[in-house]
Amino acid sequence: MGIFDFLKPGDNYILSRKHISFSKLALEIIGNPLEKSGFKFYRKKVETYFTTIIWTKEKQYAKLSASDFPTDYPYSFDIILGEGNCDDFFESEWDSISISDIQRLSEPNRKYNGYDFPKKSEFRASLEKAKEDLIEFGNGFLNGDLELFYEARILTNGENKPEKIIKKDKNGKVIVELLPYNVIKKNN
């Protein structure tokens, strides 16, 4: 086994026992207050180095995202709150914020950066702490009061949705694309 074996293609699709255990506990601990607030389990994806769990409620969603990918050090997980389409990467990237963003807005003198992805023996304690923060700082969002969520989202992501993305095509030529939700908005 080589030092860079984690970069081999396909390795990310081998299920990790660590992430399987983490996701089961996360569904129980984080899912409980979400489901009490009317959110429903939507999807779970577990891979070698990643866990993603999403709950939805009408146009809102909560996502738990965890990574212990070797180049993502320090390993972490976070709770993301969003509004809109959680399946559209570009929309969800702008329409979501971390629970840490609301914490920073509520308590600007403290530093919040998500949660360290713990050792297996510390899963429960770490997820319980995240649940407490979700209940304390995300309570308004969970109960449909999005005022603090919007305020934190504007501070984090800006006031206007981005309208275009600049990227390179397969030949290296720079292209500019209008994002789909802005194309629809402009056509109306």
Side-chain angles (χ1 to χ4, degrees):
M1 179 168 185
I3 191 167
F4 294 107
D5 282 352
F6 66 88
L7 293 174
K8 288 182 181 175
D11 282 351
N12 198 32
Y13 297 102
I14 301 168
L15 292 180
S16 156
R17 282 189 277 187
K18 182 177 182 181
H19 278 274
I20 290 170
S21 297
F22 181 79
S23 68
K24 284 181 183 177
L25 206 51
L27 280 167
E28 174 191 322
I29 294 172
I30 303 298
N32 191 24
L34 288 167
E35 290 167 5
K36 283 182 180 175
S37 296
F39 284 79
K40 299 206 181 316
F41 173 75
Y42 177 67
R43 180 178 64 226
K44 175 177 84 169
K45 185 175 185 180
V46 177
E47 299 175 295
T48 304
Y49 302 108
F50 305 100
T51 295
T52 302
I53 305 171
I54 301 173
W55 295 266
T56 60
K57 175 179 155 182
E58 296 172 11
K59 292 189 179 220
Q60 293 174 260
Y61 62 90
K63 177 177 13 176
L64 182 133
S65 183
S67 171
D68 65 348
F69 192 72
T71 59
D72 287 350
Y73 193 81
Y75 309 141
S76 63
F77 76 94
D78 208 349
I79 299 173
I80 310 296
L81 304 176
E83 179 184 46
N85 184 357
C86 62
D87 291 321
D88 181 328
F89 171 77
F90 296 113
E91 184 174 344
S92 67
E93 188 68 16
W94 187 87
D95 284 332
S96 65
I97 58 171
S98 164
I99 195 75
S100 304
D101 295 324
I102 296 175
Q103 290 171 319
R104 280 191 287 278
L105 184 65
S106 301
E107 298 177 351
N109 295 329
R110 291 188 59 192
K111 187 173 181 168
Y112 295 99
N113 289 325
Y115 308 92
D116 291 334
F117 190 75
K119 297 175 190 164
K120 206 170 186 180
S121 63
E122 299 168 358
F123 282 172
R124 182 168 294 280
S126 190
L127 286 164
E128 288 288 348
K129 171 66 174 125
K131 178 180 96 172
E132 290 169 15
D133 290 344
L134 173 64
I135 291 168
E136 180 179 351
F137 297 102
N139 190 44
F141 179 86
L142 297 180
N143 293 305
D145 179 2
L146 303 180
E147 185 177 334
L148 192 58
F149 166 77
Y150 290 144
E151 192 176 333
R153 187 176 71 184
I154 287 169
L155 287 174
T156 304
N157 300 336
E159 208 160 321
N160 298 315
K161 283 186 179 183
E163 295 188 4
K164 59 187 172 186
I165 185 168
I166 299 170
K167 62 182 181 179
K168 291 185 180 182
D169 67 10
K170 63 182 178 186
N171 298 321
K173 181 181 172 189
V174 174
I175 56 175
V176 177
E177 287 183 10
L178 287 177
L179 294 178
Y181 50 89
N182 285 311
V183 172
I184 293 166
K185 185 174 75 176
K186 287 183 180 197
N187 289 337
N188 292 337

